[in-house]
Amino acid sequence: MTNYTHWFLRARLKTRQLLLLVALAEEGNIHRAAQVLNMTQPAASKLLKDLEDVLGVSLFERLPRGMRPTWYGDTMIRHARAALASLNQAHEELQAAKNGQFGQVNLGSITAPGLALLPPTVAAVKQAHPNLQITIQIEPSNVLIEKLNRGSLDILVGRLSPEHDKAALRYEMLAEEPICAVARPGHPLLTAIKPTLEDVFKYGWIVPPAGSMLRHRFDLMIQELGLEQPSNSVETSAMLFISKMMQQSDMVSVMAVDVARYYANHGLMSILPVAMPCEMEPFGFITRRDRLLSPAAEVVLRALKSSAMTVYGKAFSVDALPGA
């Protein structure tokens, strides 16, 4: 028997102890955590003490008004979340098999491939496997990677930043993400003769939130060109607001070309004929190295790679197409 099996046997680790760790991390209070798990506070305290005794470390600091994880606690909480997510996935797959379904896949993406790549991919998968359940989350890469690490996503299409633990993640580069400036249809700059970026800066800007990758690149571009930071600006990532705001003003915005084309095709905005020296890092497929994909997730990943050949002209090794 392996060492980890010996450890589990000695600890007599209970699923309720894993649930308690996560509940304590989220509630910060053992009374509320016990309520969440429908147990008494003494029972919750004993479960935690038993686990700490076996591990030989304190998992939480006892504070006057709650509890805070120690470094050891943070480690156990992270693995408890992963273990519970894996158990939930196992249950979902078993239920899907019993109900004649194929399974469930949780897919995340940043906005541009969410518009260009995911719709044809999901359409192909659903045509071949109508009962395969797919959930889609469109978020920034940092949010998606956190969810992937927690086990609530199977696959994501996004980008890696220097702060991410690349050793734990499998990354396959997919495409660059060109950036453009956009404005309302009929904007004065659309009829100007060879407008420059300096011309664009005479109008108000709708910019991404501070801390986002696109905002970082936008600010760097301004510095490198020796331009002044726009004083007339609105900060948001809400596309519905951006499109409506531009309809009612001459403000301009900056976004990925794939996103801009989608809204331009629907007559909601126009791409300005101005070069934007604002390069984004490439994005790609990201999965966890330490987790095997379910058969359903493998089908979706193959479909993503197949669609990428058409959308981005990117060739991947595709073992089998959905339904093949």
Side-chain angles (χ1 to χ4, degrees):
M1 298 177 71
T2 57
N3 288 334
Y4 66 80
T5 306
H6 287 154
W7 181 83
F8 281 131
L9 289 175
R10 289 197 310 271
R12 296 184 179 180
L13 192 65
K14 302 178 178 69
T15 304
R16 288 180 74 78
Q17 286 173 317
L18 300 180
L19 291 167
L20 178 60
L21 288 176
V22 174
L24 280 170
E26 294 175 351
E27 300 295 332
N29 179 288
I30 196 162
H31 178 69
R32 290 196 298 270
Q35 287 181 324
V36 168
L37 299 178
N38 196 27
M39 65 171 67
T40 65
Q41 182 173 329
S45 297
K46 185 177 186 307
L47 276 177
L48 178 59
K49 184 179 183 302
D50 289 346
L51 183 56
E52 288 181 324
D53 288 345
V54 170
L55 295 173
V57 295
S58 293
L59 298 176
F60 289 86
E61 293 180 57
R62 275 66 171 177
L63 305 173
R65 293 189 177 181
M67 304 177 73
R68 181 171 59 202
T70 63
W71 183 90
Y72 303 106
D74 282 333
T75 301
M76 281 299 297
I77 289 164
R78 186 173 70 253
H79 288 285
R81 283 188 168 124
L84 292 170
S86 181
L87 289 173
N88 280 331
Q89 184 179 10
H91 179 260
E92 289 171 0
E93 290 181 14
L94 288 173
Q95 289 299 114
K98 287 169 61 178
N99 296 333
Q101 298 174 349
F102 191 83
Q104 165 121 10
V105 180
N106 300 310
L107 179 60
S109 177
I110 56 177
T111 304
L115 286 172
L117 179 65
L118 265 58
T121 297
V122 173
V125 170
K126 295 300 286 185
Q127 183 176 10
H129 304 285
N131 292 323
L132 194 154
Q133 302 301 308
I134 302 176
T135 63
I136 305 292
Q137 297 185 46
I138 307 296
E139 301 275 5
S141 292
N142 286 345
V143 175
L144 294 173
I145 289 175
E146 175 63 24
K147 291 183 177 183
L148 180 71
N149 289 334
R150 284 177 173 236
S152 56
L153 284 180
D154 300 302
I155 307 163
L156 70 87
V157 186
R159 57 176 56 86
L160 288 176
S161 298
E163 68 268 19
H164 296 135
D165 180 10
K166 297 176 180 61
L169 301 172
R170 181 182 294 105
Y171 173 78
E172 297 177 85
M173 201 276 279
L174 177 54
E176 305 282 347
E177 189 171 27
I179 303 303
C180 65
V182 294
R184 65 171 175 83
H187 192 281
L189 285 173
L190 292 170
T191 56
I193 300 173
K194 295 184 179 180
T196 65
L197 203 52
E198 286 81 356
D199 296 326
V200 180
F201 270 71
K202 296 175 184 176
Y203 298 87
W205 278 93
I206 305 173
V207 296
S212 67
M213 179 64 71
L214 180 52
R215 176 63 178 277
H216 173 66
R217 296 294 182 180
F218 180 76
D219 290 345
L220 283 180
M221 177 191 71
I222 293 174
Q223 291 178 2
E224 290 170 356
L225 294 176
L227 300 172
E228 293 290 331
Q229 287 285 345
S231 58
N232 178 16
S233 66
V234 175
E235 184 176 302
T236 183
S237 60
M239 291 304 304
L240 288 176
F241 175 84
I242 292 171
S243 61
K244 189 68 175 179
M245 187 70 193
M246 287 196 299
Q247 287 176 18
Q248 299 180 3
S249 72
D250 282 340
M251 298 189 81
V252 298
S253 188
V254 56
M255 62 186 62
V257 169
D258 281 342
V259 178
R261 283 175 179 159
Y262 173 83
Y263 284 94
N265 289 339
H266 287 79
L268 298 175
M269 60 183 66
S270 297
I271 298 175
L272 295 175
V274 178
M276 290 286 289
C278 179
E279 296 181 0
M280 294 283 285
E281 295 291 333
F283 59 85
F285 303 124
I286 305 175
T287 55
R288 290 281 306 186
R289 290 186 181 276
D290 57 354
R291 292 185 205 135
L292 290 175
L293 291 178
S294 68
E298 290 279 7
V299 165
V300 171
L301 183 57
R302 288 197 298 270
L304 283 166
K305 292 180 177 181
S306 178
S307 295
M309 296 179 188
T310 301
V311 175
Y312 301 110
K314 175 75 175 184
F316 285 95
S317 174
V318 182
D319 297 329
L321 301 182

